[in-house]
Amino acid sequence: MSQNEQQNSKSALYTLITVFFFWGFIGASNGVFIPFCKAKFGLDQFQSQLIDFAFYGAYYIGALLLFIFSSLAKNDILNSWGFKKGIINGLLISTFGAAFMIFAVTQGSYLMILAALFVVALGFSLQQTSAQPFAASLGEPHTASNRLNLAGGINSLGTTIGPLVVSFALFGIIAGVNEEYIREFAQKANSLDKMEVLYVFVGGLFLLAAALFFFSKKLPAGKSDSTFEPAKKAMTTLIAITVIMVVIFGYIFSRYEDPEFITRFIQNKEKDYLGLGLTIISLLVIVFGLLFANSAAKRKPEGWGAMKYPQLVLGMLGIFTYVGVEVTIQSNLGELLKTSAFGSITGSALAPYVSMYWGSLMIGRWAGAISVFNPSNKLKKILLIVVPYIAFGVVLGVNSISGQNVTPLFAYAAVVAFQIAGFFLGKDRPARTLMIFGLMGMIAMTIGLMTNGTIATYAFMSGGLFCSIMWPAIFSLAIAGIGKYTSQGSSFLIMMILGGGIIPPLQGKISDIIGIHPSYFVPVLCFAYLAFYGWKVIGILKNQGIDHEVETGAAH
C-alpha cells in the first residue's frame, strides 16, 4: 500500500469510527432508560428489561432480514450498495427511529417507545454489518483487529459518557440519581418531555453523520467484485432457529400476562424452574443449530454459503458468548452489590462501579489500538503501559466531574496491570490474545465466586478489561479467509449480538433459584468458550493454508 493510500485509509477510518460512538452512547444509555421507564409506566422488572431485549433483538432481526432478502434476490444487497452506502442507509433508519421515538414519547406509550428503540437499533444493525468489515478492509489484513480496537475504543468512550449525558438530559443532574429520585421524577406530568428533546438532538446527530459519510470523498464505496452465491440451507436453518426462539419467548412473555403467574412467581418469590428450562432450551437451540449447520456444510458445502467455514460458525458462537458475558456481568452487578456480602451498595453509590466496568472496556480497547499508529517497538512497549492508565484516569475523571465518589476505585489500578501483562503475552496476535484474555476472564470470575467484598467486586469488574479486545479479535478471526462471503459472514456475526438478550436473562433466572452471587458461574463458562475459540481457530486457519493469524477476507 502506497503512502498516499495509507493516508486516505486513515482518513476514511477516522470518519468511519464516528458511528461506533453512537452505538456505545445509545446502548449504554439503556441503563438509564430502564429504571426511568419502570417508574414512569409502573412496570415489573421483567417488563422493564424488554428495553434491552428490543435493542439487542433488533440486531439479530436486522441482520437476518438482510441475509434473507439477499438470498431471495440472489444478490448480495450490501455488496451492491457498498459498505459506505450501507452505513448511510443504516443512519437514515436510525434517524427515522429517533423521529418515531419523539412521536412515541408524545403518545406516552411504552410499547411504542420499545418499537422506536427497535427501529433505532435496526439501523445500528445495518451500520454494524457494514462498518465492521469496512474497518477491517482499510489497511493490511493482519492488522484488522487493531483498527477494530481503535473503533471499539471510540465505542467505549460512548458507553462511558452516554449514561452521564442522558442522565443529565433527563433529570438535570448526574450525582444523587437514585431509585427514589427517579420514581419521584417519573411521576411528574412532563417527565417525558426531556426524553423528547433528547431524541431531537440524537436524530439530528444521526442525520449529520449520514451527511458526513455521503459527502466524504476520501471514504471509498467498499464494494467487492465477487459474485453472489445463495445459501438456501443456511437461510432455512436460521429461519428455523428464529421460529423456535419466537415460540419459546412468546410463551415466556405470555406467562407475565397471567395474574396467577404474577402472584406465584413474582409476588410470592417462588422458583420458576419452567422459565429457566425454557431459557436454557433457547440457548441450546442456537448452539446446536449452528453446530449442525457447520457439520452438514462439511459433508456437502453447496447451499450453506459462509457457514461452511468453521472459523465463522465458531466465531458466531464466540460473538454470541462475548456480547452475552459483557452484558450479563454488568446487568447483574447492581443486584450483586446490593447484597450484604458486597457492602449493601445502592442508589447513586452504584454508579462508579458500573461506570468503571464499562470504562474497563475502553481501557483495553485504547491499548489494543496502539498498533494502528505504527509506533516503534520500544515506544509501543511504553505506550502499552502508559495508555491503559491514561484511559483509567479518564474514567476516574469523568466520574469525579459528575460528582461521584471515586475513592473506592483507586486500588483498581492494580487490576489494570494484569491486563497490561496480557497484552505483552498476546504479542499483538488476535487468536493468542483472545485465548489469554479468555483464560484471565475465567480466573477473575472464579476469584469473584470464591470471595466477597472488594476483592470479588474488582474481580467481576475486571471482566470488562478482559472483554475489551474480544469483539475485534473474534470478528477478524471469524471472517479470515472467507473471501466473497465476507459481507454474508458479517451479517451472520451481527446476528449473534442476540447473545446480549439471551445470556443475561438466563443468569437472571438462575440467580432467582440459587442466588445472585453463585449465578456468576455463567460468566466463567462464557470465558471458557472464548478461550477455547482463541486456541481452536489457530489450527483451523493453518489447515486452510492461511499463513497469518488473520487474513481478513482473503480468498484461498
Side-chain angles (χ1 to χ4, degrees), residues 19 53 71 106 117 168 190 193 196 280 301 312 388 422 429 443 519:
V19 296
F53 188 83
S71 296
T106 60
L117 190 61
F168 182 79
N190 64 344
D193 292 349
E196 182 180 346
I280 292 174
L312 177 73
R429 298 167 62 184
I443 294 170
S519 74

Side-chain angles (χ1 to χ4, degrees), residues 100-403:
F100 187 10
M101 179 68 80
I102 296 168
F103 176 74
V105 167
T106 60
Q107 298 300 306
S109 169
Y110 180 58
L111 288 178
M112 291 184 69
I113 287 175
L114 288 178
L117 190 61
F118 180 88
V119 176
V120 170
L122 206 62
F124 285 1
S125 175
L126 181 55
Q127 293 168 46
Q128 287 231 28
T129 305
S130 305
Q132 300 290 343
F134 201 4
S137 68
L138 292 174
E140 297 298 328
H142 61 278
T143 61
S145 65
N146 300 129
R147 289 187 293 281
L148 292 175
N149 264 321
L150 175 62
I154 301 300
N155 175 268
S156 293
L157 182 62
T159 65
T160 301
I161 70 173
L164 300 177
V165 173
V166 171
S167 180
F168 182 79
L170 285 178
F171 309 120
I173 61 174
I174 298 173
V177 178
N178 53 32
E179 293 177 11
E180 182 180 354
Y181 182 91
I182 292 174
R183 185 164 53 250
E184 291 177 358
F185 178 86
Q187 298 311 312
K188 296 179 180 179
N190 64 344
S191 59
L192 285 174
D193 292 349
K194 298 284 188 70
M195 198 168 169
E196 182 180 346
V197 173
L198 173 66
Y199 267 87
V200 169
F201 283 101
V202 168
L205 288 174
F206 289 152
L207 202 57
L208 181 63
L212 178 65
F213 276 85
F214 182 79
F215 292 108
S216 177
K217 295 180 180 180
K218 291 185 177 181
L219 199 63
K223 292 184 179 182
S224 70
D225 297 325
S226 303
T227 57
F228 177 75
E229 181 177 329
K232 292 183 178 179
K233 293 178 181 178
M235 181 178 70
T236 302
T237 301
L238 289 171
I239 291 175
I241 290 173
T242 304
V243 169
I244 295 172
M245 295 284 290
V246 168
V247 170
I248 291 174
F249 279 96
Y251 177 71
I252 291 176
F253 294 159
S254 69
R255 299 172 78 211
Y256 280 81
E257 298 178 357
D258 183 357
E260 182 181 350
F261 174 80
I262 297 294
T263 301
R264 289 181 58 197
F265 293 103
I266 297 180
Q267 296 179 7
N268 295 336
K269 304 295 183 181
E270 289 189 26
K271 296 178 179 179
D272 185 15
Y273 291 103
L274 177 59
L276 174 60
L278 290 172
T279 309
I280 292 174
I281 289 173
S282 69
L283 177 65
L284 295 178
V285 166
I286 294 171
V287 172
F288 287 106
L290 293 178
L291 292 178
F292 161 77
N294 184 241
S295 177
K298 286 180 180 178
R299 295 191 298 270
K300 191 174 181 181
E302 183 181 355
W304 286 104
M307 282 193 179
K308 65 187 176 183
Y309 293 95
Q311 67 265 38
L312 177 73
V313 174
L314 294 179
M316 290 170 69
L317 292 175
I319 291 291
F320 181 91
T321 305
Y322 151 69
V323 177
V325 73
E326 177 187 270
V327 175
T328 199
I329 292 173
Q330 183 273 330
S331 294
N332 290 284
L333 189 61
E335 191 66 25
L336 179 73
L337 296 181
K338 288 179 182 179
T339 63
S340 58
F342 284 81
S344 301
I345 302 170
T346 60
S348 60
L350 285 169
Y353 296 95
V354 175
S355 177
M356 182 53 72
Y357 174 76
W358 288 116
S360 294
L361 290 160
M362 185 176 76
I363 291 169
R365 287 169 179 170
W366 282 21
I370 289 172
S371 294
V372 172
F373 303 100
N374 297 316
S376 64
N377 287 334
K378 184 178 180 179
L379 179 59
K380 182 177 178 180
K381 290 177 181 178
I382 295 173
L383 291 175
L384 279 175
I385 298 173
V386 174
V387 168
Y389 284 109
I390 292 176
F392 178 64
V394 169
V395 179
L396 291 179
V398 168
N399 278 275
S400 181
I401 291 171
S402 68

Side-chain angles (χ1 to χ4, degrees), residues 13 35 81-82 118 204 253 293 300 441 486 502 512 530:
L13 179 62
W81 286 346
F118 180 88
F253 294 159
K300 191 174 181 181
T486 298
I502 301 294
D512 287 338
L530 293 167

Side-chain angles (χ1 to χ4, degrees), residues 10-30:
K10 285 184 178 180
S11 299
L13 179 62
Y14 298 151
T15 303
L16 178 63
I17 59 180
T18 58
V19 296
F20 285 75
F21 177 84
F22 290 134
W23 308 334
F25 185 95
I26 298 297
S29 299
N30 288 344

